[in-house]
Amino acid sequence: MRKDRSCLLALSVLLAACGSSPADTPSEGSGGATGAGGTGGAGGTGGTGGTDGIGGAGGAPVAESLTWKKIDAAGPSARTATAMAYDEQRKVVVLFGGLECADFPDCTMENDLEDLWEWDGSTWTQIDKAAVWPGPRSRHAMAYDPLRGQVVLNGGGGGMMGWNGSTWEEVTAFCNFGCPLDRKDHALAFHKGRGHLVAFSGVGSALNDISISVRADSYELIDDFWHPIDGAEHPDGRVGSQLAYDPVRDVLWLFGGSSEYSASFDGYPNDVWALDDSGWHQANAGGTPGDTLPWGRRQAIFAWHPALQQAVLFGGFSYPVTQTVEPLHVPEALSVWTWDGDTWHNRPDWFLKDAFRSDQAAAQDPSTNGIVQFGGENFVERPTADTHVFGPL
């Protein structure tokens, strides 16, 4: 948790001088987005096959109707390095564990947590601990597996377990040539096109190699066996990266991460990778950040937004975190971007200082057709217990 302290403290001073958040200004609008079916909302440009009814109120495109909202609902305690996943069958978000500050506000001592919570779009509900239960863990990963009908929890100090809404059970996962064992800061998602759970990189060991390092590997879980995803192209290893499944193009997008907490620009790649039926392909080579390319970052939000039909990038650690577009403007490394499958779109008007976090958890929100985030560190590296939703007004 104690990383980049001097940069983040400098950034908090910078933003305090900025006054009101740019999120309060009208957005320029990007029109409707391509959807998986349905028609555009009334008055709005829904795009080809846009999702029914999300064209926007009063004729505004869907992009114009998105905003950050803090939800005043009692829930989990303040934490970082937690994980959440959206249970598509039960329409709830599941959160487990994380890292709490044991000596707030100094936070020089931290404890792994083992509590389980569910979010239904307006209320957090804690689930009572049972006989079969994952141990305390942090920097783990979670994803919903429709084949099992479970939210799968992996790494962070323990093995794989699945939650079906009433009980936990161990998930059998054998290794042929290697597997994501007790990884931390890795990415996990279900690829509906390939039909399997996919795990990428992170810090940990591998079969026949017990050293703890950043792993440049990816696997998919096929019939209870982890199989490596090989090919001519493959992303390099990185910690704190994110996978976002795009149902429109049937690919997993990969963005972000760093080479083991690097303190230089080169250690924060801003390239984009796609995993499709044929394997990994670099979709965007990245390069010098600016008006058309975001800064690389780790432990950020990079998640599919169901209303926008694009992946949203927000928050996280970056280098250098104090880089700005202009004096007293939104820090470029921390502004909001969207990825439409071909192009990055810079949306500094969606930046909200009070919602900024790093090392938070995020998932699709079941009630607002948006994204919900919980916890994480604020600008002065304090763990939070805030729930924010980024969705339609």
Side-chain angles (χ1 to χ4, degrees):
M1 191 186 298
R2 316 261 54 87
K3 309 178 190 76
D4 301 332
R5 175 182 292 275
S6 61
C7 291
L8 286 176
L9 287 174
L11 181 57
S12 66
V13 174
L14 170 66
L15 287 176
C18 293
S20 61
S21 166
D24 296 331
T25 62
S27 59
E28 62 190 53
S30 59
T34 300
T39 58
T45 304
T48 305
T51 304
D52 188 21
I54 62 168
V62 62
E64 297 301 305
S65 69
L66 298 179
T67 186
W68 284 102
K69 291 179 287 187
K70 182 178 179 180
I71 308 298
D72 293 324
S77 58
R79 66 194 66 196
T80 64
T82 185
M84 299 195 304
Y86 176 59
D87 186 324
E88 298 176 4
Q89 181 176 351
R90 298 189 303 118
K91 310 299 183 186
V92 295
V93 172
V94 180
L95 178 149
F96 183 86
L99 202 60
E100 71 171 353
C101 172
D103 58 342
F104 188 87
D106 294 333
C107 294
T108 58
M109 299 175 59
E110 299 166 336
N111 295 324
D112 284 349
L113 298 167
E114 59 176 350
D115 49 344
L116 175 66
W117 294 79
E118 291 187 345
W119 166 257
D120 65 4
S122 61
T123 303
W124 283 106
T125 301
Q126 185 172 11
I127 310 300
D128 292 335
K129 185 177 179 180
V132 179
W133 200 261
R137 57 184 78 191
S138 61
R139 305 206 174 282
H140 48 292
M142 296 174 67
Y144 178 71
D145 186 339
L147 298 180
R148 293 173 170 78
Q150 297 176 333
V151 170
V152 174
L153 166 67
N154 184 63
M160 289 186 68
M161 298 194 73
W163 170 252
N164 62 14
S166 59
T167 58
W168 284 102
E169 66 177 25
E170 293 185 8
V171 175
T172 302
F174 300 101
C175 302
N176 279 337
F177 306 103
C179 61
L181 298 172
D182 185 12
R183 298 289 173 93
K184 291 191 174 185
D185 277 330
H186 60 302
L188 187 73
F190 191 86
H191 194 306
K192 292 186 177 180
R194 295 175 72 98
H196 304 297
L197 201 65
V198 173
F200 172 77
S201 192
V203 177
S205 58
L207 195 66
N208 300 323
D209 182 358
I210 61 173
S211 64
I212 304 300
S213 59
V214 178
R215 297 292 167 179
D217 54 13
S218 58
Y219 298 88
E220 55 188 341
L221 190 59
I222 305 175
D223 296 331
D224 297 330
F225 281 86
W226 283 111
H227 292 260
I229 302 175
D230 298 322
E233 292 184 274
H234 194 281
D236 56 357
R238 52 193 79 178
V239 297
S241 60
Q242 301 292 331
L243 290 169
Y245 178 70
D246 181 340
V248 176
R249 297 164 187 82
D250 190 25
V251 300
L252 270 178
W253 299 115
L254 169 69
F255 181 82
S258 65
S259 16
E260 204 158 11
Y261 310 118
S262 171
S264 67
F265 171 78
D266 291 341
Y268 289 79
N270 63 345
D271 53 347
V272 181
W273 288 79
L275 178 64
D276 58 21
D277 285 342
S278 61
W280 286 104
H281 310 282
Q282 192 177 62
N284 186 296
T288 303
D291 294 336
T292 59
L293 290 175
W295 285 81
R297 58 193 78 183
R298 70 174 188 267
Q299 281 118 6
I301 285 180
F302 181 62
W304 182 255
H305 197 293
L308 190 61
Q309 294 285 281
Q310 296 184 29
V312 173
L313 171 67
F314 178 59
F317 289 104
S318 190
Y319 177 87
V321 286
T322 52
Q323 176 71 26
T324 57
V325 180
E326 295 178 26
L328 305 183
H329 279 200
V330 176
E332 171 61 18
L334 304 176
S335 59
V336 183
W337 293 73
T338 60
W339 169 256
D340 65 10
D342 298 300
T343 307
W344 282 107
H345 303 277
N346 189 357
R347 298 303 304 256
D349 50 305
W350 283 342
F351 178 86
L352 182 61
K353 182 180 72 171
D354 292 339
F356 168 80
R357 298 291 181 267
S358 64
D359 222 351
Q360 74 276 55
Q364 179 180 340
D365 183 69
S367 66
T368 65
N369 203 28
I371 294 172
V372 59
Q373 74 167 19
F374 178 82
E377 294 182 354
N378 56 20
F379 283 115
V380 292
E381 290 197 296
R382 295 292 184 266
T384 69
D386 296 340
T387 304
H388 287 92
V389 171
F390 183 53
L393 291 169

